[in-house]
PDB file of all heavy atoms in Angstrom:
ATOM      1  N   ALA Z 102      20.609 -75.451  -0.314  1.00 97.00           N
ATOM      2  CA  ALA Z 102      20.858 -74.004  -0.550  1.00 97.00           C
ATOM      3  C   ALA Z 102      19.871 -73.145   0.146  1.00 97.00           C
ATOM      4  O   ALA Z 102      20.228 -72.163   0.821  1.00 97.00           O
ATOM      5  CB  ALA Z 102      20.828 -73.729  -2.081  1.00 97.00           C
ATOM      6  N   VAL Z 103      18.580 -73.478   0.071  1.00 98.00           N
ATOM      7  CA  VAL Z 103      17.569 -72.712   0.742  1.00 98.00           C
ATOM      8  C   VAL Z 103      17.697 -72.890   2.309  1.00 98.00           C
ATOM      9  O   VAL Z 103      17.586 -71.891   3.037  1.00 98.00           O
ATOM     10  CB  VAL Z 103      16.162 -73.192   0.310  1.00 98.00           C
ATOM     11  CG1 VAL Z 103      15.039 -72.575   1.177  1.00 98.00           C
ATOM     12  CG2 VAL Z 103      15.943 -72.816  -1.155  1.00 98.00           C
ATOM     13  N   ALA Z 104      18.023 -74.090   2.756  1.00 97.00           N
ATOM     14  CA  ALA Z 104      18.245 -74.315   4.179  1.00 97.00           C
ATOM     15  C   ALA Z 104      19.443 -73.439   4.665  1.00 97.00           C
ATOM     16  O   ALA Z 104      19.381 -72.916   5.793  1.00 97.00           O
ATOM     17  CB  ALA Z 104      18.501 -75.778   4.484  1.00 97.00           C
ATOM     18  N   ASN Z 105      20.480 -73.354   3.823  1.00 98.00           N
ATOM     19  CA  ASN Z 105      21.638 -72.567   4.223  1.00 98.00           C
ATOM     20  C   ASN Z 105      21.258 -71.121   4.470  1.00 98.00           C
ATOM     21  O   ASN Z 105      21.714 -70.487   5.400  1.00 98.00           O
ATOM     22  CB  ASN Z 105      22.727 -72.698   3.197  1.00 98.00           C
ATOM     23  CG  ASN Z 105      24.044 -72.169   3.669  1.00 98.00           C
ATOM     24  OD1 ASN Z 105      24.433 -72.265   4.859  1.00 98.00           O
ATOM     25  ND2 ASN Z 105      24.837 -71.623   2.758  1.00 98.00           N
ATOM     26  N   ILE Z 106      20.416 -70.595   3.649  1.00 98.00           N
ATOM     27  CA  ILE Z 106      19.951 -69.224   3.739  1.00 98.00           C
ATOM     28  C   ILE Z 106      19.043 -69.045   5.017  1.00 98.00           C
ATOM     29  O   ILE Z 106      19.265 -68.214   5.917  1.00 98.00           O
ATOM     30  CB  ILE Z 106      19.224 -68.706   2.524  1.00 98.00           C
ATOM     31  CG1 ILE Z 106      20.199 -68.658   1.314  1.00 98.00           C
ATOM     32  CG2 ILE Z 106      18.571 -67.359   2.712  1.00 98.00           C
ATOM     33  CD1 ILE Z 106      19.547 -68.467  -0.007  1.00 98.00           C
ATOM     34  N   VAL Z 107      18.018 -69.901   5.094  1.00 98.00           N
ATOM     35  CA  VAL Z 107      17.026 -69.729   6.162  1.00 98.00           C
ATOM     36  C   VAL Z 107      17.683 -70.046   7.522  1.00 98.00           C
ATOM     37  O   VAL Z 107      17.461 -69.222   8.449  1.00 98.00           O
ATOM     38  CB  VAL Z 107      15.816 -70.668   5.889  1.00 98.00           C
ATOM     39  CG1 VAL Z 107      14.851 -70.694   7.068  1.00 98.00           C
ATOM     40  CG2 VAL Z 107      15.069 -70.232   4.610  1.00 98.00           C
ATOM     41  N   VAL Z 108      18.374 -71.110   7.654  1.00 98.00           N
ATOM     42  CA  VAL Z 108      18.989 -71.487   8.921  1.00 98.00           C
ATOM     43  C   VAL Z 108      19.984 -70.442   9.379  1.00 98.00           C
ATOM     44  O   VAL Z 108      20.002 -70.049  10.520  1.00 98.00           O
ATOM     45  CB  VAL Z 108      19.626 -72.874   8.865  1.00 98.00           C
ATOM     46  CG1 VAL Z 108      20.458 -73.181  10.041  1.00 98.00           C
ATOM     47  CG2 VAL Z 108      18.515 -73.969   8.679  1.00 98.00           C
ATOM     48  N   SER Z 109      20.801 -69.987   8.425  1.00 98.00           N
ATOM     49  CA  SER Z 109      21.803 -68.922   8.772  1.00 98.00           C
ATOM     50  C   SER Z 109      21.136 -67.675   9.242  1.00 98.00           C
ATOM     51  O   SER Z 109      21.594 -67.096  10.222  1.00 98.00           O
ATOM     52  CB  SER Z 109      22.642 -68.640   7.523  1.00 98.00           C
ATOM     53  OG  SER Z 109      23.492 -69.700   7.178  1.00 98.00           O
ATOM     54  N   VAL Z 110      20.074 -67.201   8.602  1.00 98.00           N
ATOM     55  CA  VAL Z 110      19.407 -65.965   8.991  1.00 98.00           C
ATOM     56  C   VAL Z 110      18.726 -66.125  10.352  1.00 98.00           C
ATOM     57  O   VAL Z 110      18.891 -65.381  11.269  1.00 98.00           O
ATOM     58  CB  VAL Z 110      18.419 -65.466   7.892  1.00 98.00           C
ATOM     59  CG1 VAL Z 110      17.590 -64.351   8.393  1.00 98.00           C
ATOM     60  CG2 VAL Z 110      19.209 -65.035   6.668  1.00 98.00           C
ATOM     61  N   VAL Z 111      17.931 -67.263  10.477  1.00 98.00           N
ATOM     62  CA  VAL Z 111      17.199 -67.456  11.726  1.00 98.00           C
ATOM     63  C   VAL Z 111      18.147 -67.626  12.868  1.00 98.00           C
ATOM     64  O   VAL Z 111      17.992 -66.980  13.953  1.00 98.00           O
ATOM     65  CB  VAL Z 111      16.229 -68.690  11.569  1.00 98.00           C
ATOM     66  CG1 VAL Z 111      15.613 -69.022  12.945  1.00 98.00           C
ATOM     67  CG2 VAL Z 111      15.149 -68.294  10.580  1.00 98.00           C
TER      68      VAL Z 111
END
Side-chain angles (χ1 to χ4, degrees):
V103 171
N105 193 33
I106 294 168
V107 172
V108 169
S109 293
V110 170
V111 170

